[in-house]
Amino acid sequence: MYFVKALGLIVLLCGWAAASGASKRCPGYIATRITETENGFTASLKLNGQPCDKYGQDIASLSLSVRFDTSNRLHVHISDTEKTQYQIPQWIVPLDEGVGADKHHSSLEFTHTHDKTNGFGFRVQRDGEAIFDTTGHVLVFEDQYLELTSKVAVDANIYGLGESPNWFRRNPDNTTITLWNRDAADPFGENVYGSHAVYMELRSESAKFHGCYLHNSHGMDVVLAPGTVQYRVLGGTLDLYIFSGPTALDVIDQYTQLVGRPARIPYWALGFHNCRYGYTSVREVNQVIANYSRARIPLEAAWTDIEYMDKTRDFTFDAVNYPVSEMKKQLDALHSRGQKMVLITDPAIHVDDAYGTFVRGRDQDVFIKNADGSLYVGQVWPGYTVFPDWFAANTSEWWSDELRRYFDTLSIDGMWIDMNEPASFCTGSCGSNWPINEIPARLSTASHRFINTTNRMLVPPYAINNPEPELSDKTVETTAIHATGVTEYHVHNLYGHMESRATRDFLLAYRRNQRPFILSRSTFAGSGALASHWTGDNSASWTDLHVSIASVFDFGVFGIPMVGADICGFYGNATEELCARWMELGAFYPFARSHNAKGYAPQEPYRWASVAKATRRALRVRYALLAYMYSTYQDAVDHGWPVARPLVFEFPSTHFASNDKQMLIGRCILVSPVLTKGARSVDAVFPPGRWYDWYTHAHVDGHNAMVTLDAPLEHINVHIRGGCIVPTQRPEMTTTQVRQNDYELVVATHANGTAVGQLYVDDGESFDMRHRWVDFSYDANVLYVAPRSGTMHVERPVASLVLLGVVGVRTVSVNGVRVECSIAVTPNSVAVTGLNIDLNTKSRIIVS
């Protein structure tokens, strides 16, 4: 009976959402009292007729602020004059205000209009082209419903908006993208763990990108229809930032300048990681570590899921299966081999008066409350649980103290924070009025309550396209109260972001001048400055293999470049073939980790001979490229640029607008994986230019055409872009070992005989460190090495060169002096070994 009622309500609510009748019947606004400011102007917006009150109460008086923050960023903020609508505090997501720009020196132009039917509208142009245009569409601003519509191209190339497992180019034809953080096992096209209201659009005619970000923490739908993009938001204000681009990397640079640059990572994070939900003991994990070594598969970090805890309670250890003494031995053994340990932590705290973490938190008043002031009690792994209130005065101090006790017990290398949407297995405060130490008899199977449709904070008049029966399902109830008095309804999407901030603050204080590694499931705008991300609970399927590429690209747009999917899939039994193909692709995710769930067949790569071979082969390429990947990641730190990129970011053309089957690492390495069951070849598109096979050095001349490449089961196609100089090192079993090897420069020349590259070097661990940028260029048989900036002394020299597209080399001279070296010529390359080129000084190397 319940499910009939619930499904009926879902149909009704989704019907309201799809109708979008509000914009057809609401009066819009009229702009008055326009006042010029130093960097823009302000105005008042008054309701242009009788209120429609379709999905809430129309707010009659609004304030408009238009500011040219920088020469390429425009801030348009429409808020209620009385300032009662919730806005994200600056301390939660610090936004860069920009130095302010003269509108006459901006790349963007703002104009506004008024018409009798629709009222106030505005248009933002770049070089005479409208890139955000609300004219002709009614602005709706109610206490629980905002609607803003902008014109886009009919067949728009739109990227971003999520988190939602989907193809990278969003379908512009009647697609709804919902932002409401949700614990869900990566269902295609639905909202999952994080919320990112940023998108970029590629205009086909100009081949230019622009972007837009809505700074709002409420649940929302972003509806793409032919010719429009429409925001439907459950509250707050319309706090818009528009970025002029004109390249994709420019847009991401401008966006991350606003919300925060990606955090520095420790170098070891770029290694290969292993985890499984289901390892029964520390002894089993030790065996897994040994099996990797025996199989000669690199393993940088061993991860353990909730099994290590005592009764799955945070900051505890199972005295039988994961005793602290044995965990310390494992950690010491890992460190002795240059490897790391990462353990999981969930935010939900078990309600038990014998559990110190709970008692101390209760005494310090750090947990979310019900409206009546009692503790809000949900249900997660340990049973009935409470949830840290990141708004409460004592929460950060309490959280840091619990983490300090934990780290003093076992000084792990990184933190994995999960279930932080936050997830709960029941709806509402299901543990209220139960005995304090009660353990639910049927964990995660609590029946659903009847939905109270009269409470607008539980069931708002406009229903976003969240698939659950109500917004509060599988999470903290929207009526729960935080210490500041704000309800969960307004700040739900910020929870994981705030946990990341509190966790990072602790680690920065506990290990001063050491870069933290934090992996968070739930994210928000600016989370890249705090943590890395994995794409959650995917499945062992060929579709999820493909979707993983698009998801990695999405987080590049979101400013979180250190991202990857669970390799071989979390749920389900991966086949040998699927796991081989996924290991090959996953070896090139910025964050590369194998992980699967208990109850399914184990899938560590050494389980099958073919998968082990494929993994070794692919990881040899990754580990050879670590110096290049780390340098590319430094571009992310400096500019926000993603490490893994779609071809369309480098080649802005409709030829590549929908291509999410291939992946660029930086600008120079193209990966073309097999994504189809049974395939032993792959159709790869090569953009204009010359592309060299990583393994054979044979080249393909790209003409935007499809090329069929052989792809045996243990092989993934990797190509080097002509015009690139790629620094490499001999691959080893750990990143530490790799960094001790000399450099080899792969000089992949363009058809005109030129190439450029760069190398970034620092200690890979600290913040207060010396560094060195080195530039490389090649032209007319001369290689130039030129330190660009920094004072770090680079210990390892360039010992060898691989010249692609270069012929006739017989001698080599460095700074005018002929050197004794070995020169090996093959049909596709020239290898020069026995060099000793110092990267701390300028050098001129002639090959002739």
Side-chain angles (χ1 to χ4, degrees), residues 819-832:
V819 296
E820 294 297 324
C821 59
S822 297
I823 301 174
V825 179
T826 73
N828 299 320
S829 65
V830 176
V832 181

Side-chain angles (χ1 to χ4, degrees), residues 587-762:
F588 295 93
Y589 294 152
F591 172 64
R593 183 186 69 165
S594 172
H595 184 215
N596 75 315
K598 65 181 179 181
Y600 301 101
Q603 60 190 33
E604 296 89 356
Y606 55 74
R607 298 282 178 175
W608 302 273
S610 65
V611 178
K613 182 177 179 181
T615 304
R616 283 191 294 266
R617 184 175 175 84
L619 286 180
R620 279 190 64 81
V621 182
R622 179 190 182 92
Y623 276 58
L625 287 169
L626 283 174
Y628 169 77
M629 293 183 71
Y630 191 68
S631 301
T632 303
Y633 194 88
Q634 185 59 32
D635 281 335
V637 172
D638 292 338
H639 306 289
W641 298 344
V643 175
R645 306 172 189 175
L647 281 166
V648 73
F649 280 12
E650 292 288 330
F651 303 92
S653 161
T654 54
H655 289 289
F656 309 107
S658 298
N659 186 325
D660 53 19
K661 293 184 176 182
Q662 295 169 272
M663 181 167 66
L664 281 167
I665 304 302
R667 58 178 296 270
C668 293
I669 301 296
L670 178 61
V671 180
S672 303
V674 170
L675 305 174
T676 305
K677 181 179 180 180
R680 294 299 181 267
S681 65
V682 62
D683 293 331
V685 179
F686 287 91
R690 184 165 287 181
W691 299 84
Y692 297 89
D693 185 288
W694 172 270
Y695 310 94
T696 69
H697 300 149
H699 76 265
V700 175
D701 287 321
H703 301 287
N704 293 338
M706 196 80 73
V707 177
T708 299
L709 305 171
D710 289 338
L713 182 60
E714 297 87 1
H715 178 76
I716 183 168
N717 280 278
V718 180
H719 286 79
I720 308 167
R721 183 179 180 180
C724 288
I725 298 177
V726 179
T728 68
Q729 290 172 290
R730 188 177 69 249
E732 304 283 359
M733 294 293 285
T734 67
T735 62
T736 299
Q737 292 170 336
V738 173
R739 298 189 79 190
Q740 295 169 354
N741 292 334
D742 294 342
Y743 292 100
E744 178 174 270
L745 299 184
V746 180
V747 182
T749 60
H750 194 273
N752 64 9
T754 63
V756 295
Q758 62 180 8
L759 172 68
Y760 175 81
V761 183
D762 64 22

